[in-house]
């Protein structure tokens, strides 16, 4: 057996598992367009409406209408179960298609459907969450193990903890919210806030600006595996893909990036 090790200093060999979450309208799906711009060909696995925001990007997409149970092809002729899609993703045919990243839009909808199917499949309600785990965890684990970037998109849910407001990705089990944040390499919480600035005439105007939180800030549960500290706790845009690129840069590439600026 010929085993070829890689050097841990060569981070370019890595693919990252990314979780993006935020409230409706914050720009989560829009952020997927940035992955197309930066990493090239990608696939969106969609379980809900809302892809209109990335239509101009011409990203490949496939729709799922169930998790493991068969889909009614008469009702949804172009729909699949998530299980079918995942099996296809693991084939040589898929690898030959040259995708560099996969996104699930959304993990919230995938969780909802998994819980519904779990509830339908057991007679004892006490077994629902056990069955829910058995359906959802293997899927998320298989996605996480893919050799390309994986992006999970989720809505945010507001919870109260010790008298404080906390925002988690919306799933059908609180422990799953913490679990999937914990296993992701990068958790970006996209928020929108009004920002006041002066225009060219010196008049103050207020505009909405996107921010992405990558740390535990103001109740958001952001996270970054960023050993060289290239990402701020709060970034002043919603371009998560650019942050992934920044993490994966070599030292030489990053020095050039700092000299020339992110837009060049």
């Amino acid at each position: 057996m010929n085993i070829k090790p890689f050097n841990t200093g060569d981070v370019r060999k890595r693919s990252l598992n990314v979780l993006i979450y935020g409230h409706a309208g914050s720009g989560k799906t829009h952020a997927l367009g940035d992955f197309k711009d930066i990493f090239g060909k990608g696939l969106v696995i969609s379980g809900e409406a809302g892809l209109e925001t990335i239509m101009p990007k011409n990203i490949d997409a496939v729709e799922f209408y169930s998790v493991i149970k068969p889909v009614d092809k008469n009702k949804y002729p172009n729909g699949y179960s998530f299980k079918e899609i995942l099996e296809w993703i693991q084939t040589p045919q898929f690898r030959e298609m040259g995708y560099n990243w996969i996104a699930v839009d959304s993990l919230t909808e995938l969780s909802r459907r998994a819980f519904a199917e779990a509830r339908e499949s057991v007679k004892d309600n006490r077994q629902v969450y056990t069955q829910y785990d058995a359906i959802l965890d293997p899927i998320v684990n298989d996605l996480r193990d893919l050799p390309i970037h994986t992006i999970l998109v989720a809505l945010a849910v507001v919870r109260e903890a010790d008298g404080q407001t906390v925002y988690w990705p919306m799933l059908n089990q609180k422990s799953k919210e913490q679990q999937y944040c914990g296993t992701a390499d990068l958790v970006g919480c996209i928020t929108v806030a009004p920002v006041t600035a002066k225009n060219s005439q010196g008049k103050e105007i207020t505009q909405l600006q996107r921010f992405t939180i990558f740390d535990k800030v103001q109740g958001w549960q952001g996270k970054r595996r960023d050993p060289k500290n290239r990402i701020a706790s709060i970034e002043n845009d919603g371009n998560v893909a650019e942050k992934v690129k920044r993490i994966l840069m070599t030292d030489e590439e990053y020095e050039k990036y700092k000299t020339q600026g992110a837009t060049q």
Side-chain angles (χ1 to χ4, degrees):
M1 180 182 297
N2 184 17
I3 298 177
K4 184 179 179 181
F6 67 89
N7 190 294
T8 56
D10 188 2
V11 295
R12 289 177 298 174
K13 292 184 178 292
R14 296 175 57 199
S15 56
L16 296 190
N17 298 298
V18 181
L19 173 59
I20 300 173
Y21 76 100
H23 297 305
S26 60
K28 303 180 300 297
T29 303
H30 183 272
L32 299 181
D34 297 322
F35 279 87
K36 169 69 179 295
D37 293 340
I38 292 176
F39 295 106
K41 187 175 183 180
L43 176 72
V44 176
I45 307 173
S46 175
E48 54 187 54
L51 295 182
E52 292 81 3
T53 58
I54 54 174
M55 283 180 60
K57 300 293 184 178
N58 294 314
I59 302 171
D60 291 351
V62 61
E63 294 180 311
F64 70 91
Y65 289 89
S66 70
V67 183
I68 60 173
K69 74 176 185 180
V71 172
D72 184 346
K73 295 295 184 179
N74 292 322
K75 188 175 182 180
Y76 304 112
N78 297 317
Y80 304 91
S81 70
F82 204 98
K83 179 182 177 182
E84 288 177 302
I85 297 170
L86 191 55
E87 289 172 349
W88 167 62
I89 287 171
Q90 295 169 327
T91 64
Q93 176 194 9
F94 178 84
R95 290 193 292 272
E96 291 170 0
M97 297 178 75
Y99 289 107
N100 299 317
W101 57 274
I102 291 177
V104 178
D105 190 13
S106 67
L107 179 61
T108 300
E109 180 62 16
L110 180 64
S111 170
R112 186 191 69 81
R113 291 180 184 271
F115 188 81
E117 291 181 26
R119 192 164 47 191
E120 291 173 2
S121 65
V122 297
K123 296 181 180 179
D124 186 345
N125 286 336
R126 292 173 296 181
Q127 298 300 315
V128 171
Y129 282 102
T130 300
Q131 182 64 12
Y132 169 71
D133 289 348
I135 293 173
L136 190 60
D137 280 347
I139 287 175
V140 175
N141 289 339
D142 284 347
L143 288 169
R144 186 182 61 197
D145 291 339
L146 292 173
I148 57 178
H149 299 305
T150 302
I151 305 99
L152 303 179
V153 179
L155 282 169
V157 63
V158 181
R159 302 205 184 280
E160 296 297 323
D162 299 325
Q164 296 182 335
T165 301
V166 182
Y167 305 94
W168 289 98
M170 182 187 294
L171 302 174
N172 280 74
Q173 191 176 22
K174 291 181 181 179
S175 62
K176 284 282 179 287
E177 298 168 358
Q178 299 178 28
Q179 175 185 337
Y180 293 156
C181 281
T183 57
D185 296 308
L186 191 66
V187 179
C189 316
I190 299 181
T191 65
V192 179
V195 174
T196 301
K198 291 184 179 181
N199 62 16
S200 57
Q201 287 77 39
K203 182 180 179 181
E204 286 192 348
I205 57 173
T206 300
Q207 296 178 319
L208 292 177
Q209 180 176 332
R210 287 191 178 100
F211 298 87
T212 308
I213 299 172
F214 293 103
D215 213 331
K216 290 179 171 57
V217 176
Q218 296 179 347
W220 292 95
Q221 302 300 305
K223 175 187 173 184
R224 52 199 165 118
R225 286 179 181 159
D226 178 22
K228 298 193 176 181
N229 295 315
R230 294 173 176 175
I231 299 176
S233 295
I234 302 176
E235 294 277 348
N236 296 333
D237 58 38
N239 191 339
V240 179
E242 190 272 333
K243 313 308 176 286
V244 172
K245 179 182 178 181
R246 204 187 299 173
I247 290 174
L248 297 178
M249 287 178 179
T250 63
D251 290 341
E252 181 181 357
E253 289 169 340
Y254 186 63
E255 288 303 316
K256 184 177 180 180
Y257 163 88
K258 289 194 299 182
T259 300
Q260 296 183 348
T263 60
Q264 298 184 21

